[in-house]
Amino acid sequence: MKKMSELYTKCSIKLNGMVRNERGSQTLEWIGIAAVVVIVVGVISTAFSGDQQFGKDVVKKFSKMIEQIGGG
């Protein structure tokens, strides 16, 4: 029984150390942010390429917003 108790204690200490280890979490966060940026850039470049109506509509909306900001 003493061996089982010692083994349990060692395993729980090891597991506790692994749970508290946060190495690499910041890297995953940066990879996630980079993935979002890549997706946004891809969507924008697709929207503005070719003869797609969506890109033209977006340009018109931005133009109207800029005109309203500039007062003209």
Side-chain angles (χ1 to χ4, degrees):
M1 186 69 177
K2 185 176 180 180
K3 283 280 192 189
M4 289 295 281
S5 175
E6 289 176 7
L7 182 63
Y8 174 76
T9 304
K10 287 180 183 179
C11 289
S12 64
I13 290 171
K14 185 77 167 177
L15 181 64
N16 191 22
M18 288 175 17
V19 168
R20 291 185 180 201
N21 184 3
E22 294 186 11
R23 286 183 11 193
S25 64
Q26 187 176 14
T27 303
L28 289 175
E29 292 170 359
W30 281 109
I31 289 172
I33 291 170
V36 169
V37 169
V38 167
I39 290 170
V40 168
V41 169
V43 167
I44 290 173
S45 67
T46 302
F48 287 107
S49 67
D51 258 349
Q52 296 180 356
Q53 187 62 32
F54 177 73
K56 292 178 184 178
D57 291 341
V58 172
V59 170
K60 287 179 187 176
K61 292 285 185 181
F62 277 125
S63 297
K64 286 181 184 178
M65 287 175 28
I66 291 171
E67 287 175 5
Q68 289 175 353
I69 291 172

